[in-house]
Amino acid sequence: MSERPSFYVTTPIYYVNDVPHIGHAYTTLACDVLARFKRLDGYNVMFLTGTDEHGQKVEKSAEAAGVDPQAFCDKVSARFNDLAQAMNFSNDQFIRTTEPRHKLAVQHLWRVLEEKGYIYADNYAGWYSVRDEAFYAESELMEGEGGAKLAPTGAAVEWVEEPSYFFKLSAFEDRLLELYDSQTDFVMPKSRLNEVRSFVAGGLQDLSISRTTFNWGVPVPDADGHIMYVWIDALTNYLTAIGYPDEAGQAYKDFWPADVHMVGKDILRFHAVYWPAFLMAAELPLPKRVFAHGWWTNEGQKISKSLGNVIDPFELIESYGLDAVRFFMLREVPFGNDGDFSRSAFIARCNADLANGMGNLSQRTLAMIFKNCDGSIPHPGILSNEDSELLNNIDSLLDEVRKHIDMQAFNRAFDAIWKQSAAADTYISSQEPWKLKKTDPDRMYTVLYVLAEVIRQLAILMQPIMPESACKVLDQLKIEDRAFTALGATGRLASGTVIDKPVGVFPRLELDAEESA
RNA sequence: GGCCGAGUAGCUCAGUUGGUUAGAGCAGUGGAAUCAUAAUCCAUGUGCCGGGGGUUCAAAUCCCUCCUCGGCUACCA
């Protein structure tokens, strides 16, 4: 039955000790656009996001809050779910690592790795800072007074040892290098692949994958007191969600290996080194791509809690409207680069591309149709060269957009779409339909038909990035078939369809008085 | 320190394997138009393509060197 090709895209699972911020929204948004695009393009899509809920920090936060860890997780995880709602994300699943199915999957994977001989018991030793709750490498340490060892943060460190299970990461050095060399788009952007490659080429140590110092996590099978440490627990969520360990199940067969793991650059290594090594060890297929995107700055400044300039996505949506926020984040910056979030850039971009561009194009066209064509889509006459050229360009737009989307080059994809919007404005100027009203109404009908058809296709293509706004435009045109199969000449707009009085879809944004002051 | 990458118009960036007068968007300036959310269209850039040197008939594009900025350099998601 499932003849359709599949597409599996994931966000990282977000750590519940954190509050949702623009970074989370950004990562998931990119995945949402991919997922929506692929669905419209005929794919059977699985889009996964969720929360990572284990670990010492969560255990302590819960304790500090006076609640049990599960209750704490329930509460905080819900905030990420709220974000997904607020951002209109179309995730098919929201996974939580505290779910029973996840425990099952991770423990199964552990056993497989153990059976294959890639897990062994030893002692984990290192410089630990109680204050930072973190281990530091010898090379990271600073000299304090009297030669005392200090963490880079200035905190005191002590040498601690504890029993731990290890994963034989070192055994995968060559195979990982082979992977990077043979599949050069395994990690994107390219510069990140270089970083990952040089990291691995520098030599790999085995990985500590269990702890005995806390309880809030998945127990290691048959090893009292050992709790799985973050890597193996968190990364495995990508398998859990599609039914692992049931490798014969439909979801697993349809969706593994994943097409894209979207990650922030901070967690690239775990996805581009540890994760493929785990999978190699378990003899499971590797994901096709790990994409590491960049960070946002706020008005040119690095974002940090201590600076207090964290950007709250809920507030953004409140101030500017959801679709404008979605559009700006993926249109403004080449995906993979860092970008700056400034109010002036936001307003400039949205006014230029949305209000003045796509919005005005749609409004002026539909208003002319509404007023001059008895409120219905006019019948086109014989097409002129200009008509055909515009239509041909719009008919072939999907191919170009798809090419960029498949490379996660969102800004280029939207650039291509908006170029056609601009071409339509140019076309209006050259055709001057308002003059044709008196001189040659038939020709005016043709011009307006061509424009409405262009808008139809632009709106269909806009759906992944601005679902609500695109929907409004398509509603105004009374379009029912909105999949990509309706693009091109086969789905031409039906003449005679009665439309309503058009209403603007993209409002102009104004600088607040207080801000311009 | 080592490795990697980047420095191109006021701003954000494109520039495929070296090849006609180096491009786009935004901003600016001048003009046109008036269907439309005062939106749109047209015209307009003497940019040492970071500096210097080299290879070549030919370099933003290759090599060397210097300067500046950024990233990575293992267990803080």
Side-chain angles (χ1 to χ4, degrees), chain A residues 5-34:
Chain A
S6 298
F7 185 79
Y8 182 25
V9 58
T10 70
T11 76
I13 44 176
Y14 303 119
Y15 202 49
V16 289
N17 217 37
D18 211 349
V19 181
H21 55 66
I22 190 174
H24 302 113
Y26 185 50
T27 310
T28 314
L29 171 62
C31 295
D32 186 58
V33 171
L34 290 178

Side-chain angles (χ1 to χ4, degrees), chain A residues 31-91:
Chain A
C31 295
D32 186 58
V33 171
L34 290 178
R36 287 176 182 274
F37 186 94
K38 287 295 180 182
R39 284 190 202 106
L40 289 164
D41 209 16
Y43 284 71
N44 179 26
V45 170
M46 174 65 72
F47 166 23
L48 175 70
T49 187
T51 43
D52 176 17
E53 312 190 354
H54 289 138
Q56 190 169 27
K57 278 197 180 179
V58 172
E59 193 175 73
K60 291 201 168 174
S61 295
E63 201 179 304
V67 296
D68 77 54
Q70 187 62 57
F72 177 83
C73 291
D74 290 348
K75 192 177 161 199
V76 188
S77 175
R79 288 201 293 218
F80 284 91
N81 216 341
D82 292 344
L83 178 68
Q85 303 300 317
M87 290 289 297
N88 198 6
F89 292 149
S90 63
N91 51 295

Side-chain angles (χ1 to χ4, degrees), chain A residues 327 346-359 418 508:
Chain A
F327 176 73
F346 187 99
I347 288 169
R349 168 65 69 185
C350 290
N351 280 346
D353 286 356
L354 300 183
N356 302 350
M358 199 70 81
W418 261 260
R508 278 186 74 71

Side-chain angles (χ1 to χ4, degrees), chain A residues 320-512:
Chain A
Y320 301 117
L322 173 60
D323 277 357
V325 171
R326 290 176 56 111
F327 176 73
F328 178 80
M329 287 204 279
L330 290 183
R331 175 66 187 83
E332 181 72 2
V333 180
F335 198 63
N337 292 8
D338 287 347
D340 182 45
F341 202 109
S342 77
R343 286 181 178 266
S344 62
F346 187 99
I347 288 169
R349 168 65 69 185
C350 290
N351 280 346
D353 286 356
L354 300 183
N356 302 350
M358 199 70 81
N360 185 241
L361 171 66
S362 169
Q363 183 65 16
R364 66 197 302 207
T365 300
L366 295 186
M368 276 190 275
I369 290 174
F370 185 76
K371 278 192 225 164
N372 305 316
C373 307
D374 291 330
S376 66
I377 305 297
H379 291 268
I382 298 197
L383 299 182
S384 71
N385 288 338
E386 289 93 334
D387 303 342
S388 300
E389 192 185 335
L390 186 63
L391 287 175
N392 287 340
N393 286 338
I394 197 85
D395 287 349
S396 61
L397 188 51
L398 174 62
D399 288 337
E400 185 181 358
V401 173
R402 184 192 285 124
K403 189 181 71 188
H404 295 311
I405 291 289
D406 283 341
M407 297 289 283
Q408 289 77 50
F410 299 104
N411 63 315
R412 292 192 181 209
F414 302 136
D415 193 52
I417 295 172
W418 261 260
K419 268 204 168 60
Q420 291 310 311
S421 165
D425 270 329
T426 306
Y427 170 86
I428 298 187
S429 296
S430 73
Q431 301 303 313
E432 302 180 302
W434 50 90
K435 284 187 182 167
L436 295 170
K437 180 162 61 173
K438 286 175 184 163
T439 58
D440 188 351
D442 285 343
R443 178 60 196 153
M444 177 190 73
Y445 295 146
T446 305
V447 169
L448 293 179
Y449 178 86
V450 168
L451 285 166
E453 167 62 11
V454 167
I455 291 164
R456 177 186 75 90
Q457 296 203 40
L458 290 175
I460 288 175
L461 285 164
M462 269 195 304
Q463 290 177 99
I465 181 67
M466 294 185 287
E468 281 179 9
S469 305
C471 180
K472 283 181 192 166
V473 175
L474 291 166
D475 284 350
Q476 292 188 0
L477 283 170
K478 307 292 182 192
I479 303 297
E480 288 183 10
D481 188 355
R482 301 175 178 191
F484 288 168
T485 46
L487 290 168
T490 52
R492 285 281 185 266
L493 201 50
S495 300
T497 307
V498 175
I499 64 169
D500 302 320
K501 183 169 193 210
V503 179
V505 173
F506 299 107
R508 278 186 74 71
L509 303 172
E510 306 288 349
L511 270 171
D512 298 345

Side-chain angles (χ1 to χ4, degrees), chain A residues 84-120:
Chain A
Q85 303 300 317
M87 290 289 297
N88 198 6
F89 292 149
S90 63
N91 51 295
D92 298 287
Q93 286 194 57
F94 187 96
I95 194 171
R96 302 181 53 189
T97 53
T98 49
E99 292 175 54
R101 61 172 175 161
H102 182 62
K103 179 176 168 185
L104 190 84
V106 183
Q107 290 189 328
H108 183 88
L109 181 65
W110 181 287
R111 286 203 176 92
V112 170
L113 297 179
E114 202 166 34
E115 277 164 24
K116 309 254 184 203
Y118 291 109
I119 290 181
Y120 63 93

